């Protein structure tokens, strides 16, 4: 139903399908994975949302996301800097 998907997307952005069939996206300030696009609950991969999260082929626990320069303070970057984040959801760690 298009109404369900439209409602779901109103609370998030930048959805992407992962290799394992889940959907990753920024949702209510977190980086989340959903079991389906029908409004499943958020499995938080990171407490911080950013950019455009995509899965790493063959590595279902890894998510790569960019950051915006306006988010520099959230990620400990210098003013005006943007970066790439590698989120390892299985270990609860991030690198950038």
């Amino acid at each position: 139903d298009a109404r369900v998907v439209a409602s779901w997307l109103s609370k998030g952005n930048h959805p992407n399908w992962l290799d394992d069939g889940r959907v990753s996206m920024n949702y209510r300030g977190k980086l989340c994975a959903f079991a389906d696009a029908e409004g499943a609950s958020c499995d938080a991969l990171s407490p911080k949302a950013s950019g455009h999260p995509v899965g790493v082929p063959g590595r279902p626990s890894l998510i790569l996301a960019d950051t915006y320069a306006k988010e520099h303070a959230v990620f400990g970057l210098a003013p005006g800097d943007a970066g790439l984040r590698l989120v390892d959801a299985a270990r609860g760690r991030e690198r950038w």
Side-chain angles (χ1 to χ4, degrees):
D1 182 335
R3 290 172 297 182
V4 171
V5 174
S7 170
W8 181 60
L9 287 174
S10 72
K11 299 174 186 113
N13 57 44
H14 304 301
N16 252 310
W17 272 258
L18 302 173
D19 278 357
D20 61 8
R22 295 179 302 158
V23 179
S24 69
M25 71 188 272
N26 297 314
Y27 186 77
R28 294 185 173 177
K30 300 177 194 166
L31 175 55
C32 294
F34 297 87
D36 59 51
E38 299 293 323
S41 62
C42 163
D43 174 17
L45 305 175
S46 171
K48 301 179 215 171
S50 74
H52 306 81
V54 297
V56 176
R59 303 288 302 271
S61 71
L62 296 180
I63 305 292
L64 184 66
D66 58 329
T67 66
Y68 297 105
K70 66 183 180 185
E71 300 172 320
H72 66 89
V74 174
F75 296 102
L77 301 171
D81 281 358
L84 291 176
R85 301 167 58 202
L86 182 62
V87 177
D88 185 341
R91 294 189 173 118
R93 295 190 305 193
E94 298 187 22
R95 301 271 188 244
W96 54 84

